[in-house]
Amino acid sequence: MAPGTALGLGLALFSAVTSALAHAMLKSGDNKLAVLAWIRCCEFVLALPLVLWIGLPPASLWVWLIAAVAVHAAYQLALSLSYALSDFTTAYPIARGFVPIFTALLGMAFLGDHLDGATLIAVATVSAGILCLATGQSITRGGFLAAAVTGLFTTAYTLIDAKGVRAAPDMLTFIGWFFLLGALPMPAVLFARYRGAAVGLMVHDRKAGLLAGILAIISFAPALFALGLAPVGAVTALRETSVIFGLLLGAIVLKERLSARRITGALLVTAGTLGVIVRAAFA
């Protein structure tokens, strides 16, 4: 395994743990838009000094930055609706379930990534395990639709982010400018919807929002670096192991029931993850 690939897969696994924590904080907030606005504000504070140091990105990178910001904003709106309609341990696996295999196939088609048959089987096993986590759960048609649309946006932004990171002169240029520009839509949506009450909502959810914001930065920055170092399908498969950590958080912290079916799904995700790592080690 090349050192860069190994580092990319390690960053993806680290991102999985912190991503689950960030999503649990988002779910725990009373107003999901307020928590999302807090996350974006935290990212803005981090990104501003970084972009002042980096300077303007090249003209060719703007199309990927704008596309990334737009798709992430749509994803965040779908995610907040999904968590408002369904339990965390139901919505989260559905939203993530189709992402690994779809992203792997599209990454091969559009980004030139190479994944052999064994790795694709491992990635598909991760997807199957994630979907197994969600089957048999009580969920409304609207809740399922919101979670599924969230998954489609996740696939789209992953591919766009991977292309943007690889097209940038260095990864920090894309990451810094993405965090800065991406900080704008969610606070704007919150204030447009709630107007004068928006500040009060943010004050009310300040604890969950600040924790989610810090965890989101710790999670997503390593994921962006990983997309520049390893095949997008392998990175996504490892990052989606966050559903296992999300499952545990939902059961322990949010007191949601953990069934035998969900444990089976978690074991499938683990088996697929180990398959990706082992295949990458011997590639």
Side-chain angles (χ1 to χ4, degrees):
M1 187 193 306
T5 301
L7 177 59
L9 297 182
L11 289 171
L13 281 173
F14 175 78
S15 176
V17 179
T18 50
S19 177
L21 291 169
H23 279 263
M25 286 297 101
L26 171 58
K27 173 63 178 176
S28 70
D30 290 328
N31 187 285
K32 309 306 184 256
L33 277 178
V35 177
L36 284 169
W38 271 113
I39 293 173
R40 303 287 83 83
C41 289
C42 291
E43 291 174 352
F44 182 86
V45 170
L46 173 72
L48 184 59
L50 183 60
V51 299
L52 290 175
W53 173 63
I54 291 171
L56 289 172
S60 59
L61 193 60
W62 280 105
V63 63
W64 298 111
L65 285 168
I66 293 170
V69 169
V71 175
H72 273 273
Y75 155 78
Q76 290 153 14
L77 290 172
L79 181 68
S80 64
L81 178 61
S82 178
Y83 286 165
L85 293 175
S86 308
D87 280 350
F88 178 66
T89 50
T90 300
Y92 194 47
I94 294 174
R96 315 304 291 196
F98 293 106
V99 175
I101 190 63
F102 283 174
T103 306
L105 294 173
L106 291 172
M108 294 172 69
F110 295 108
L111 300 178
D113 287 345
H114 174 71
L115 295 173
D116 60 18
T119 305
L120 282 174
I121 290 173
V123 172
T125 302
V126 173
S127 274
I130 295 172
L131 291 173
C132 182
L133 294 173
T135 58
Q137 305 304 315
S138 177
I139 187 170
T140 65
R141 181 179 299 179
F144 179 85
L145 181 61
V149 169
T150 301
L152 291 176
F153 280 129
T154 303
T155 298
Y157 82 61
T158 302
L159 293 170
I160 292 170
D161 291 346
K163 183 64 177 179
V165 168
R166 298 175 190 185
D170 58 81
M171 288 187 281
L172 276 179
T173 297
F174 180 84
I175 292 170
W177 278 98
F178 166 73
F179 276 161
L180 184 76
L181 298 174
L184 304 177
M186 283 304 103
V189 170
L190 177 71
F191 278 84
R193 179 171 180 180
Y194 295 104
R195 300 186 183 277
V199 173
L201 291 172
M202 290 191 69
V203 171
H204 177 73
D205 273 323
R206 62 189 180 279
K207 182 177 179 180
L210 284 169
L211 285 173
I214 294 169
L215 288 166
I217 292 170
I218 295 173
S219 168
F220 202 63
L224 289 173
F225 277 108
L227 290 172
L229 295 169
V232 65
V235 170
T236 303
L238 296 187
R239 191 165 185 257
E240 297 314 322
T241 59
S242 61
V243 297
I244 298 177
F245 303 108
L247 192 72
L248 294 173
L249 286 169
I252 296 170
V253 179
L254 302 178
K255 308 301 181 184
E256 296 176 359
R257 192 173 68 87
L258 189 62
S259 66
R261 187 189 299 271
R262 292 185 177 186
I263 294 173
T264 301
L267 292 174
L268 282 172
V269 173
T270 303
T273 301
L274 290 174
V276 172
I277 294 171
V278 170
R279 190 69 191 95
F282 291 98

